[in-house]
Amino acid sequence: MSSVALARHLQALLLLWPLLLLLPPATPGPLARTGVRRLGIRGPGGSPGLRPPPGARGAGVCKSRPLDLVFVIDSSRSVRPLEFTKVKTFVSRIIDTLEIGAADTRVAVVNYASTVKIEFQLHTYSEKQALKQAVARIKPLSTGTMSGLAIQTTMEEAFTVEAGARGPTSNIPKVAIIVTDGRPQDQVNEVAARARASGIELYAVGVDRADMDSLKMMASEPLDEHVFYVETYGVIEKLSSRFQETFCALDPCMLGTHQCQHVCVSDGDGRHHCECSQGYTLNADKKTCSALDLCVLGTHQCQHVCISDGDGRHHCECSQGYTLNADKKTCSVIDKCALNTHECEQICVNDRTGSYHCECYEGYSLNADRKTCAAQDKCSLGTHGCQHICVNDGAESHHCECFEGYSLNADKKTCSDIEEARRLISTEGTCGCEATLVFQEKVSSSLQRLNTKLDNILEKLQVNE
């Protein structure tokens, strides 16, 4: 073969070499084990949510959920400068797929080798371009592989509220992506377990000579969704699309495929739910809406009575004896007695609760209609004052009578025994006769003495003549 032909063959092989690296090995090696995601291969038991639905990569379709995201990158001596550049490109491509901002995803980078350096914290950058520029400026540390120390520093210093992490009440996921190409020189099992227990979701990305057992010790469960492996740094950038699928979800509300009759609410992770406008309620199909009967639901705010007008509308009314106030919800008492609208024949009594009752004058009683009055029968009521017998004369009139042998006294109410009266009169008559006889005897005696004196006077006069 000529030197020109050989040069052409070598040139062709160099062009094909990156593509050959993408192919899986002909026979499964020690790295092709269950629980590890390899580039271009869907691991067994993988989450269907990681497979992008049709159109997921379309512009403006994929909306990332807010995260507190920390990249923990290995820059030990085994990572060559060009390879470290590939790692930074991998980080920048993931950042490109996220919505960066104080209220969206916050990003920090922890750089480690035999020492650990926090390049910038979660609160340092809130604008995507500035964040990517900061990633591009990161320099390798070049010695050792202290993965355990890097995880501990990430947990204790990067995922703190002071460093920009959001508190537990915010419900913002805490995610760390660890990238390494070697075996840790310290213990990772215990510190990774503590990090996971604190609520940090750990992803482990291994390259080339990475120790698979260590990757599994670091990563969260399920391992087939949290452990990734690539043969070279030359293809690590391809993993950025996998993380986009993990952190992004289709937003049916944005796509307009939600079928909600009124309002579509995105819940993240490709999920959504339908809601209804005010005055409507969601039907059993969870999509369409029906007008609410606020009166039935008890959310009408009417103080007394709620009247449904249909189509989700209603109005308030008041109980009898009350009037609706200007707010069209509350009620005030009507004093029907004062307004003379009570229909009581004689007396109206206000009960102070918007109601009233009727009463009658003395000598009258309330009829069954509770409004009109009838004259009372005092003889039946026992209020007549008669000592013996009360005789009803009708129309509130009556008179008193006495039992046989008694007579009615001058007060027209009490009675006296007739025989006792006669004895009294008889006694009084006897005394009167005796007195009269005594008087008559005295008068006769006096007259006799006068006659005697007159006779003596006349005799004297005759003698003198």
Side-chain angles (χ1 to χ4, degrees):
M1 181 180 294
S2 66
S3 59
V4 175
L6 179 61
R8 287 178 178 174
H9 278 291
L10 289 174
Q11 185 178 19
L13 286 173
L14 288 173
L15 291 172
L16 290 173
W17 179 247
L19 296 176
L20 293 173
L21 290 175
L22 294 176
L23 296 175
T27 57
L31 297 180
R33 286 176 284 182
T34 301
V36 180
R37 284 192 178 273
R38 298 176 61 84
L39 181 61
I41 299 175
R42 182 175 174 81
S47 168
L50 295 179
R51 187 190 298 277
R57 301 181 189 276
V61 173
C62 188
K63 177 180 173 62
S64 68
R65 53 179 174 163
L67 304 170
D68 286 339
L69 176 61
V70 177
F71 290 94
V72 184
I73 56 176
D74 179 1
S75 64
S76 58
R77 185 179 292 111
S78 61
V79 183
R80 298 178 179 86
L82 182 59
E83 293 173 335
F84 191 67
T85 300
K86 294 287 187 181
V87 173
K88 293 192 290 184
T89 302
F90 163 67
V91 171
S92 292
R93 287 195 175 181
I94 293 179
I95 291 172
D96 273 331
T97 68
L98 304 172
E99 293 186 23
I100 302 299
D104 295 304
T105 293
R106 302 178 184 181
V107 176
V109 173
V110 174
N111 187 9
Y112 80 96
S114 58
T115 60
V116 179
K117 179 183 179 182
I118 299 180
E119 297 290 345
F120 50 84
Q121 300 281 21
L122 290 167
H123 58 52
T124 306
Y125 300 102
S126 58
E127 196 272 327
K128 185 176 293 187
Q129 192 59 35
L131 182 58
K132 291 172 62 179
Q133 289 172 356
V135 170
R137 291 193 296 267
I138 298 174
K139 303 296 182 182
L141 301 176
S142 299
T143 58
T145 310
M146 303 296 287
S147 301
L149 180 61
I151 295 173
Q152 182 174 342
T153 303
T154 300
M155 175 177 59
E156 295 178 352
E157 299 182 28
F159 279 117
T160 63
V161 174
E162 293 77 15
R166 284 159 283 194
T169 57
S170 65
N171 201 31
I172 302 295
K174 293 176 172 55
V175 178
I177 300 175
I178 305 166
V179 182
T180 182
D181 72 340
R183 181 188 298 273
Q185 295 176 345
D186 57 357
Q187 296 297 318
V188 297
N189 193 10
E190 183 179 343
V191 68
R194 285 194 288 114
R196 293 191 298 267
S198 71
I200 301 172
E201 186 176 6
L202 296 174
Y203 288 86
V205 177
V207 183
D208 192 14
R209 298 172 301 277
D211 178 61
M212 190 57 58
D213 290 334
S214 298
L215 294 177
K216 291 180 179 181
M217 288 180 187
M218 291 186 286
S220 298
E221 294 286 349
L223 293 178
D224 64 302
E225 294 181 12
H226 292 84
V227 177
F228 297 87
Y229 175 81
V230 291
E231 282 81 2
T232 69
Y233 281 104
V235 293
I236 192 174
E237 299 170 20
K238 303 292 184 179
L239 285 178
S240 60
S241 62
R242 288 295 182 90
F243 282 101
Q244 179 182 8
E245 295 166 12
T246 301
F247 300 147
C248 277
L250 285 176
D251 189 345
C253 296
M254 293 176 61
L255 289 172
T257 59
H258 48 79
Q259 296 183 328
C260 297
Q261 184 179 6
H262 284 191
V263 182
C264 178
V265 179
S266 177
D267 301 321
D269 298 329
R271 296 176 294 107
H272 75 284
H273 69 276
C274 301
E275 294 183 1
C276 297
S277 304
Q278 186 175 7
Y280 290 80
T281 183
L282 197 63
N283 294 327
D285 61 8
K286 301 299 182 181
K287 295 178 181 179
T288 59
C289 301
S290 295
L292 276 172
D293 188 346
L294 296 182
C295 297
V296 174
L297 292 175
T299 58
H300 46 77
Q301 297 184 328
C302 296
Q303 186 178 3
H304 283 191
V305 183
C306 177
I307 305 297
S308 178
D309 300 322
D311 296 329
R313 295 177 295 107
H314 72 284
H315 71 274
C316 301
E317 294 184 359
C318 297
S319 304
Q320 186 175 3
Y322 290 78
T323 184
L324 195 63
N325 294 327
D327 61 8
K328 301 300 182 182
K329 295 178 181 179
T330 60
C331 301
S332 295
V333 175
I334 297 174
D335 188 350
K336 289 195 172 183
C337 295
L339 294 173
N340 200 29
T341 58
H342 49 75
E343 299 182 343
C344 294
E345 184 180 6
Q346 293 184 358
I347 301 171
C348 176
V349 178
N350 184 19
D351 295 329
R352 303 294 180 187
T353 59
S355 61
Y356 67 94
H357 70 274
C358 300
E359 294 182 0
C360 298
Y361 300 132
E362 187 178 1
Y364 290 81
S365 61
L366 198 62
N367 293 326
D369 62 6
R370 314 306 296 174
K371 295 178 181 180
T372 59
C373 300
Q376 293 179 333
D377 183 352
K378 288 192 174 183
C379 292
S380 298
L381 294 173
T383 58
H384 46 78
C386 297
Q387 184 180 5
H388 283 190
I389 302 170
C390 176
V391 179
N392 183 27
D393 299 324
E396 201 187 357
S397 176
H398 71 285
H399 69 274
C400 300
E401 293 183 358
C402 298
F403 299 133
E404 187 177 356
Y406 290 82
S407 62
L408 194 64
N409 294 327
D411 61 7
K412 301 299 184 182
K413 293 182 179 180
T414 59
C415 300
S416 297
D417 191 323
I418 295 175
E419 291 298 331
E420 186 179 348
R422 286 177 178 172
R423 284 195 301 272
L424 181 60
I425 293 171
S426 175
T427 301
E428 290 176 352
T430 301
C431 293
C433 291
E434 290 178 354
T436 301
L437 290 174
V438 171
F439 179 74
Q440 288 176 351
E441 288 178 355
K442 287 181 179 181
V443 172
S444 297
S445 177
S446 296
L447 288 174
Q448 287 177 358
R449 284 195 298 271
L450 286 173
N451 286 331
T452 299
K453 286 181 179 181
L454 286 173
D455 287 343
N456 289 334
I457 292 171
L458 287 174
E459 286 178 0
K460 287 178 179 180
L461 287 175
Q462 288 178 355
V463 171
N464 291 330
E465 287 179 356

